[in-house]
Amino acid sequence: MSAPAPTRPQAPELSSGAAVRLVARREFVERGRDRSFLVSTAVTLLILLAVTVISQLAGGDDDSYDVGLSGAATAAAPGLQAQAEALDVEIDVRDVSPDEARTLVRDGDLDAALLAPGSAVVKEELEGTLRAVLEQASAALVGEERLRERGLDPAQVRAALDVEPLQIEALDPPDEDADRRQGIAFVGTLLLYGQVFGYGFWVALGVVEEKSSRVVEVLLATVSPRALLTGKILGIGLLGLAQLLALAVVGVTVAVATGAVDLGSEVVTPLALVLGWFLLGYAFYATAFAAAAARVSRQEDLQNVTTPMTLVILGSFFAAIWASSSPDEPLARVLAIVPPFSVLVNPPRTAAGDVAAWEIVLAVALMVGAIVALATFAARLYEGAVLRTGAALSWREAWRGRHR
Amino acid sequence: MLEILELRKRYGDKTALDGLSFAVRPGEVFGFVGQNGAGKTTTMRIVLGVLAADAGEVRWQGRPMDAAARRRTGYMPEERGLYPKMRVRDQLVYLARLHGLPADRAEASTDALLEQLGIADRGADKVEALSLGNQQRVQLAAALVHEPDLLVLDEPFSGLDPVGVDVLAAALRARVDTGVPVVFSSHQLELVERLCDSVGIIKDGRMVAAGGVDELRSRGGVRRLRVAVDAPAGWADGLPGVRVATGAAPDGAVVLELAPDVDDQAVLDAARRAGRVREFRPVARSLVDLFREAVAA
Ligand SMILES: Nc1ncnc2c1ncn2[C@@H]1O[C@H](COP(=O)(O)OP(=O)(O)OP(=O)(O)O)[C@@H](O)[C@H]1O
Ligand SMILES: [Mg+2]
């Protein structure tokens, strides 16, 4: 009955760092292979690709045209090129026969064709820049013809009429890239909001899952509540970061490949902002969500206890949308610095507005401070509440619960 | 050795544990029984540190039970707990590693246990896809997978069919034979009687009877006899040192309790004087009897 315990190889001590790593790895792996996660990642990717490609197709016609010239109109080629250069568009010229021209235009291989001076063919209508260019070129051809008929040398006339273009001095020149940066900042804000809220809420769901399945009692008999909480937040956060990076790499690759954007500060800055503020925002909200979720034992009760965070993050989101169009308003400047609003308001303001370095440094420092302070409170609330099942606990009960 | 010393625990003004003490020796199976609400679960949660006692101490191998010792303990909570959506094998390997086992040993131990508990073919299934009884086996595996030095199991047999009980009992036996002490609570007293070396009966947070099963049965030197006599009821009334413990059975037999100094042959003589003796044999007190007496006292 009381045989001496045979010597077994003792399991090595498990440091709390090792426990955190194990918990984080489980969260990362288990959630990463969850079907709904994979599906949502794929859908997000597709949407991102579609947006990039469509914006490229829609915008593509603006700068490059294929124009066919036939017969006497072939003489318009140098004039066309000069015009195109002046208007900052690209025109590829091809010599074609009139019949060919009609077929090519109908098939969309040519945007327009000049059949003869004063006569052009297009598929639907001739618009905007291309119309101006063709009108100019055609008028020049007709004009030269008439000068010649009257015995005048077109070259001399041209030289006489050739004047320097208008010199323009802009008092408040528009930032060439501002619109584009604003667009990227808006998409970034949307992505950031979804990512911070989605992954923060996932932490809340995970905490409740462990409580409602009661597995938390098995876990806490061997790891500390802090290690469990830290590992969970780290694991889910890493998954969120990995997803964001994957989206960014694919999105930027496609956008650069199709020529929608150039790989420069106009892409790198918003991207760095989104990634950096995702980490800060996620750390903040995930901690708050975890503390709130520990108060309840059933998923149905989760909505109630997470309402405060949901409202704050939703408010920040609307503030961020407003701030991306009015980045330099005083209120936007303040919200971009004050945590936790800065999470969503700072990126669009920094991307689109006129920001001093100290503003960014202050915003980040305040946010880090807020995270540290919140983590201290949240860890205690979590410890106090996570083993208590039944009805939802009040914040007060959770706070005192640690002294079980 | 596991020692529970003077544990006290109150919930508000309700006293759950009121100076509870007992000890479990190496290689001993200790059955922890008591009515609903007596304090069994509270005690076990305190041993595992998921609940803090108001007073008292839990000691393991002569020292206060600490986090390292708890990591070497296998625990089956009253309310079962596993990740419902995690695969059985992954889950057991994970739990083993959380208890400090390196990866290779965690996997080897998991596979051996799944085999032993008869669920080797369910390793790749999610826990929620298993029947309740099989989930219970996985739960036991979760308590055993890290090769614990001590087992604390809260009602491990509830909800199992007789075959499941045997499988679980065999798995426990294998651990006990290597010197691991086991504490388990149960309301199935025949099972406790069959499996346990010692029993503790708890009432209102206090241990009212504890010791070896045989020792408890013969405690106080009281012997019991089952006697059937063709005689009117009441023939045994007034015999010195003899108490009629039960009413007459359908066949007219009664159970008599004999004080330590009473000679059973004298009782037999008295019976024969009353009428023809059809049955006369000593009976052991069952754990159920002990339990009823203990909680009624
Ligand atoms: N969280 C709690 N809050 C308040 N009272 C509690 C709590 N947990 C247990 N109790 C009380 O403590 C006492 C002991 O409960 P415990 O669960 O330890 O009993 P038990 O012996 O395990 O009972 P059972 O056989 O029904 O499982 C009971 O009176 C119970 O009502
Ligand atoms: Mg119980």
Side-chain angles (χ1 to χ4, degrees), chain B residues 42-121:
Chain B
T42 303
T43 306
M44 293 183 164
R45 297 184 79 201
I46 290 173
V47 171
L48 266 297
V50 291
L51 193 67
D54 298 338
E57 200 183 8
V58 179
R59 297 175 75 83
W60 169 245
Q61 313 290 43
R63 275 176 298 145
M65 186 111 174
D66 57 8
R70 291 192 173 108
R71 199 165 292 130
R72 307 286 310 128
T73 301
Y75 176 43
M76 188 158 168
E78 175 173 58
E79 294 183 76
R80 311 305 182 210
L82 292 168
Y83 287 107
K85 300 204 181 303
M86 199 171 174
R87 288 168 181 75
V88 170
R89 186 173 182 279
D90 291 351
Q91 179 142 216
L92 292 175
V93 170
Y94 172 64
L95 289 174
R97 298 207 60 196
L98 266 195
H99 283 87
L101 243 54
D104 51 345
R105 255 171 76 193
E107 294 189 13
S109 168
T110 296
D111 291 335
L113 261 177
L114 289 177
E115 192 66 49
Q116 189 180 4
L117 294 176
I119 42 177
D121 54 333

Side-chain angles (χ1 to χ4, degrees), chain B residues 142-161:
Chain B
L144 297 177
V145 72
H146 55 285
E147 305 164 11
D149 297 336
L150 166 67
L151 285 170
V152 178
L153 313 172
D154 205 348
E155 303 194 19
F157 294 100
S158 71
L160 285 185
D161 66 26

Side-chain angles (χ1 to χ4, degrees), chain A residues 110-124:
Chain A
L110 290 177
D111 292 302
L114 269 185
L115 301 177
S119 152
V121 57
V122 295
K123 188 168 182 197
E124 287 169 352

Side-chain angles (χ1 to χ4, degrees), chain A residues 195-269:
Chain A
Q195 212 75 356
V196 168
F197 185 68
Y199 281 82
F201 202 78
W202 226 6
V203 170
L205 282 173
V207 169
V208 175
E209 185 200 12
E210 281 171 1
K211 273 192 85 172
S212 64
S213 71
R214 302 297 298 145
V215 70
V216 68
E217 189 161 335
V218 174
L219 300 174
L220 291 188
T222 179
V223 297
S224 71
R226 264 158 212 262
L228 184 59
L229 180 61
T230 312
K232 179 178 289 297
I233 291 179
L234 278 183
I236 295 180
L238 282 176
L239 191 62
L241 190 65
Q243 192 191 39
L244 211 48
L245 279 173
L247 292 177
V249 166
V250 174
V252 168
T253 307
V254 171
V256 170
T258 58
V261 292
D262 299 322
L263 195 55
S265 69
E266 109 191 43
V267 173
V268 173
T269 308

Side-chain angles (χ1 to χ4, degrees), chain B residues 3 118 120 168:
Chain B
E3 293 164 284
L168 238 69

